[in-house]
Every structure is written in structure tokens, then in C-alpha cells.
Amino acid sequence: MKRIKVSLLAVLLLLTALWLAADTLLPEPFTYFSFRTVFMQYSGVIGIGLMSVAMLLALRPKWLEPHLDGLDKMYRLHKWLGIAALVVAIVHWWWGKGTKWMVGWGWLEKPVRKPVAGETLGNIEGWLRSQRGFAESVGEWAFYAAAVLIVLALVKRFPYHWFVKTHKWIAVAYLALAYHSAVLTKVEYWTQPVGWLMAALLLGGTVTALLTLTGRIGTGRKVTGTIAGLIDYPALRVLETAVVLEDGWRGHAAGQFAFITSDRSEGAHPYTIASAWNPADRRLVFITKALGDHTSRLRERLKIGMPVTVEGPYGCFNFEDAQPRQIWVGAGIGITPFIARMKQRATTPDAKTIDLFHPTAEFEQAAIDRLTADAKAAGVRLHLLVDGKDGRLNGERIRAVIPEWQSASIWFCGPPRFGQALREDFLAHGLPPERFHQELFQMR
């Protein structure tokens, strides 16, 4: 989370610093309208800059994953950038639209713009001036559309398949806002560092928008496959799906995830891979729990022999660190990445001491037997806690079981609030923050 916060702050500070090198928020003479002029420029640069970076993150760039600790963290940054852009855009809109209203209400008197003696405009600047009225109208309506789409993306009750369908239309709004920004940004900025950065961001954001609208994001990392096996655990509301991939998959590390498309109308869904990679059989296993409309329908809709598309792998929840001991906490369906790691460890063992805690609300003997067998083959100590019988897991219980916890790293996958509570507990007891690893498996 620290990297996300630092990245968001860095974007804001860089845009602000470059803008202040080109302009000022203290114009002379300082009046309402002189301030409004420069503030509209500043907020416009910040707003479109934030939105452009958010658009670039939508490309799912693999090279950036190690720097932001995985695609799950990149998507969290994408979300925060979108929220920040919306807040700035609302302020920008108010200073533009609200001022016109206040002039109309008689609260403000708009100064008369005096023509500059001998002013001559070049062809480009003249064309930009001629587009100002249209660009303002386009920007206003694009702002309304983007605001609605961003709010819908933040509403958890909004169905995922509708989120996938509507969210891509932000790309259209972005293209309109990019035109709005290019026309209304001060001409003088384009010859300065703030203008160079703006040009690069607008170009990158425009390319991303076009790739989004044509469905080409992640194309180079997509592989087709066929469903080869289905195992249903009704008591757990869990479905285990085995997929055999065609050539093209580059392999994956235990703990990574992939986007799976089994129905084009539904779109791609992210699932953690629950198997180690073996190029001899090219088989991936995914474990899904019926938590929503889509996952609840999988057991009826998926059939052996059905074609699917797999995009990935993504993520940096890869269990790599220098600690001699690791504590794994896989809560509920969060057990999935640990199953993959145990299968990998069974074939390529290492010297680390591993304790796996698996708190779960549901119990099914067949699933527990398989988990126990995986743990035994991998040399992992399994600690099973069933709600209502064994009580809740917390930091105190973990420390009581593992007195040597201070030499360990902790790897958590499960409900975000549970993970945050464990993190705060262990950090309060002296665990270095970099030794607590948590998968933020929320793509919206």
C-alpha cells in the first residue's frame, strides 16, 4: 500500500511542480477572474494528467508489476487515480460553470477582455482559438459521462458483467477530454516541460483508449484452452476447474493469477491459479467460490470440452523472500495461491519452514483431505480452524503457535479487512512492514 500512496503523491507533485515552473497561482493583479484563469489551467492539467496515468495502467503493463508489487496493487492505484481525477474534475467544472452561473445571477461582473494591440496569431494558435467554444461543450458533456461511469465502477452492487461493459466507455470520454485539454491548454505550456509531459500523457492515454475500444488490451498474453476437468464441492460452494492450454503459455509462478473468459458476453474474470506449471501437460487449475452472480452460475454453465481464453500470468504474490520461515494465512477461498505453492514445493522443495493457517466457515471432508495431502507432500505444517468450532484466528493465536514468528514473513490471502487487522496487529508487535505480504484481489 505504501508504494501505491507514494506513486499517487509522486504523480500529483510532478504535475504540480512542472505547472508551477510554467505559471503561478498568484497572478498580478490578483482578482477573482485572474485567479480563475490560472486555476482552471492548473486543475485541468492535474485532472487530465491523473486520468492519463490511470488509462496507461489499464494496459496492464508487465514491466511495471515488480515496481508496484503486482497487478492487484496497480489496479488499486488505477482506482485511486480515477477517484482523484474525478474530484479534481468536479472542482475544475465548478470554477468554470459555477462562475458563469454567478455572472448570470448578478453576483459577479465579468471583466471586458481588451484586445491586445497588434496581436497576430499563428495558424495553429488561430485554429485552437476557433475551437474553444466547441471544446468547452465537448469537455462538459464528457465530464458528465465520465463521472457517471466512474461512480458506477465504485458501486459494488453494480453487477460485474455490466461493470465490464460500461467501464470501457470511459475510453470514449477520455478521448473527448483529451481533445478538450489539447485545445484549451495555454499555448505557452507546449514549449515547456509541463507541455512535453502533457503531450506524452495525452498520446499514451489516446493509444490506450483506442486499444480498449478495439478489445486489444492483453492480446499478446492470451492463450486458448479447453476445460478438461470439473470437481464440485457443494458444501463449500466451490468449483475446481482444470484447463489444458494450447501452445503459447509462458509458464507462471505459484501465487499468480490469470483472467479467464468462458463467455464473451460476461467478459474476463480474474482467478488465482491453484496449480504449479508443468509444460508436459500444460494444465492450469482454478478454484472458484460462488460469491456472486457469475461464480454462482459456473457449475451449471461450464462443461468439459468447453473452450476458454486465459490471459496472464499476473501478480507478484510469489513467496520469494530471504526469511528462513514463512507464515501463510489462507482464509476461505484465499487458500488458492497456497495450494499452488504447495504443489510446486512438493516437486522442488526448499529449506524454509512453513506454517499454513486455514480459517474457514465451511467444512467438507473431501476438500480438507486433499489440502492435508498437499501440505504433507510439501512439508508444510497445516493449522485448520473451522468457525464455530475452533474460534477466530488472530495475531495472538498465531504467535502462540509459532514463538519464532519474528524471524518469519507473513503471506496473507483472504478478506481484505481480516488481512488489514492481522497486518496492524503484527506491525504493532514489531514485524517490519515489508515482511507482511497481502494480495489485494479486488479488480474494481
Side-chain angles (χ1 to χ4, degrees), residues 51-53 55-56 171 174-175 200-210:
M51 196 170 184
S52 297
V53 177
M55 290 293 293
L56 291 171
Y174 175 83
L175 292 174
L201 289 175
L202 289 174
L203 178 60
T206 298
V207 171
T208 302
L210 295 175

Side-chain angles (χ1 to χ4, degrees), residues 144-175:
Y144 297 146
V148 170
L149 292 170
I150 291 173
V151 170
L152 284 177
L154 297 173
V155 177
K156 299 297 184 184
R157 291 183 178 273
F158 190 59
Y160 184 86
H161 66 280
W162 283 112
F163 158 74
V164 172
K165 293 177 187 297
T166 58
H167 198 60
K168 73 175 184 179
W169 293 110
I170 289 183
V172 176
Y174 175 83
L175 292 174

Side-chain angles (χ1 to χ4, degrees), residues 126-201:
W127 180 83
L128 291 174
R129 290 275 184 94
S130 70
Q131 295 289 304
R132 292 181 67 88
F134 181 62
E136 287 179 356
S137 297
V138 167
E140 180 180 348
W141 288 104
F143 159 71
Y144 297 146
V148 170
L149 292 170
I150 291 173
V151 170
L152 284 177
L154 297 173
V155 177
K156 299 297 184 184
R157 291 183 178 273
F158 190 59
Y160 184 86
H161 66 280
W162 283 112
F163 158 74
V164 172
K165 293 177 187 297
T166 58
H167 198 60
K168 73 175 184 179
W169 293 110
I170 289 183
V172 176
Y174 175 83
L175 292 174
L177 291 169
Y179 163 75
H180 169 88
S181 300
V183 170
L184 296 177
T185 296
K186 271 188 182 181
V187 175
E188 293 84 355
Y189 291 176
W190 299 114
T191 60
Q192 301 179 66
V194 66
W196 306 338
L197 178 60
M198 284 285 293
L201 289 175

